[in-house]
Amino acid sequence: MRIHPVSMRALIRGVTGRFGRARRPRTAFVLSGGASLGALQVGMLRALYERGIVPDLLVGASAGALNSAFVASRPQTVETADELAAIWHGIRREDVFPVGLGVLVAGLTSRDDHLVPDDGLRQLAHRHLQINRLEQAVVPLYLLAFDLLSGEEVLLSSGPVIDALLAAVAIPGILPAVRWGQRRLVDGGVVNNTPISHAIDLGAERVYVLPTHDGSRALPKPPRGALDAAIHGITLLIDSQLRADIARYSSRAELIVLPAPNPRHVLPTDFHHSRALIDGALAATRRFLATTRVAASMVT
């Protein structure tokens, strides 16, 4: 998907600031959910940082929340993207979805609200995040969750970063909900996988969208197992929502949707192809930015 609708009003705001002086539009990076396909965003981030394109705020859902939290805890540099790439190279499915027979049986026979524990994700966050609270982020950080009790989206911007991250990635029924005061929070990506709306509500005038799906609905072979089939079905739903949101918000801000190449049709539950996904997204985003005049202008 290579969509770059540009609002004339947003362009005017970006070119002319106070007293007629040029200024850079308030810029947001919005990172979609997508489980293992979150590796694509690492290549996108590196390409953006190479050109000096950095965010004024980061908004992430699900796997995009994990990537957002990592880069928001560090300087916005190529080196940070490379550190994130090294982490993705080492992630395995059992670190995120420990779906061995014993674990599944225990989950199915318990009265808990989830099939698998979030211990692996918690350990991953402890090892790699350099902040303790969301408000300590180098770049303002917003993680999207969903409150099961009120039925409302919840944008987290303060509080313990690990609890917020675990809430933002808690796929309902698979990973445990997180208690947040009186709320029970789960993955906000199930209702708003690419939270462009929140970035615009926060004042973003230019939004770089880092998706995890290229818009294709075809699969070379059927999903393997119930988990793969369920997540593929969710992927189709959220892709439709992204298309609708791009049409809805393109008149309110400049939207730049980066390419998300996945020629091997890697499934969101397959963590064996992170290196190829990162390299493919890096090359595609470099080409895209080189031919996108607006994206290359006023990056400082």
Side-chain angles (χ1 to χ4, degrees):
M1 184 190 304
R2 299 183 65 177
I3 306 170
H4 183 202
V6 178
S7 154
M8 182 60 68
R9 182 176 59 186
L11 280 176
I12 293 172
R13 286 201 305 264
V15 174
T16 306
R18 193 177 181 185
F19 305 121
R21 297 169 58 186
R23 69 174 180 86
R24 181 173 68 85
R26 181 168 170 78
T27 300
F29 288 0
V30 174
L31 285 75
S32 300
S36 67
L37 302 184
L40 290 162
Q41 295 168 345
V42 183
M44 298 174 196
L45 287 166
R46 193 186 204 284
L48 290 166
Y49 293 152
E50 285 175 351
R51 295 180 68 86
I53 302 172
V54 296
D56 297 305
L57 63 146
L58 286 152
V59 185
S62 199
L66 177 65
N67 289 332
S68 296
F70 181 90
V71 299
S73 72
R74 291 165 166 78
Q76 304 299 287
T77 63
V78 167
E79 290 73 22
T80 290
D82 289 343
E83 290 176 24
L84 183 57
I87 294 170
W88 273 97
H89 293 160
I91 294 178
R92 297 294 177 262
R93 176 167 169 160
E94 54 269 22
D95 297 328
V96 182
F97 301 119
V99 289
L101 180 60
V103 172
L104 281 176
V105 169
L108 288 169
T109 57
S110 77
R111 295 186 178 181
D112 293 332
D113 63 354
H114 58 279
L115 288 177
V116 299
D118 60 5
D119 298 345
L121 285 167
R122 185 177 292 275
Q123 292 172 11
L124 191 70
H126 269 296
R127 284 198 303 269
H128 298 296
L129 295 184
Q130 294 185 348
I131 55 176
N132 295 317
R133 298 183 62 83
L134 290 167
E135 56 266 39
Q136 295 171 339
V138 175
V139 176
L141 173 63
Y142 302 86
L143 305 183
L144 185 64
F146 180 77
D147 183 6
L148 288 172
L149 300 180
S150 69
E152 298 173 339
E153 294 178 27
V154 180
L155 199 62
L156 303 174
S157 60
S158 62
V161 67
I162 291 179
D163 288 344
L165 180 58
L166 291 176
V169 301
I171 301 172
I174 297 177
L175 291 165
V178 173
R179 293 190 178 275
W180 191 275
Q182 299 301 312
R183 297 181 182 273
R184 289 180 61 83
L185 300 182
V186 296
D187 184 350
V190 298
V191 293
N192 191 354
N193 194 60
T194 309
I196 297 170
S197 57
H198 290 287
I200 292 175
D201 288 344
L202 289 165
E205 299 163 306
R206 173 178 290 173
V207 179
Y208 287 90
V209 180
L210 283 65
T212 56
H213 196 252
D214 63 0
S216 172
R217 299 184 178 186
L219 284 177
K221 56 185 177 181
R224 296 175 301 173
L227 180 61
D228 287 352
I231 290 183
H232 178 62
I234 293 172
T235 299
L236 296 178
L237 289 173
I238 61 182
D239 178 63
S240 296
Q241 182 187 16
L242 174 57
R243 292 171 181 269
D245 283 352
I246 289 170
R248 180 181 306 153
Y249 295 110
S250 61
S251 63
R252 295 182 56 186
E254 177 190 354
L255 303 184
I256 303 169
V257 183
L258 301 183
N262 185 7
R264 298 183 183 180
H265 299 279
V266 176
L267 292 173
T269 51
D270 185 351
F271 287 83
H272 292 97
H273 303 281
S274 294
R275 191 179 301 273
L277 290 171
I278 292 169
D279 291 346
L282 173 60
T285 305
R286 282 172 172 166
R287 291 192 297 269
F288 177 80
L289 294 176
T291 58
T292 305
R293 183 167 54 189
V294 176
S297 67
M298 298 188 306
V299 296
T300 59

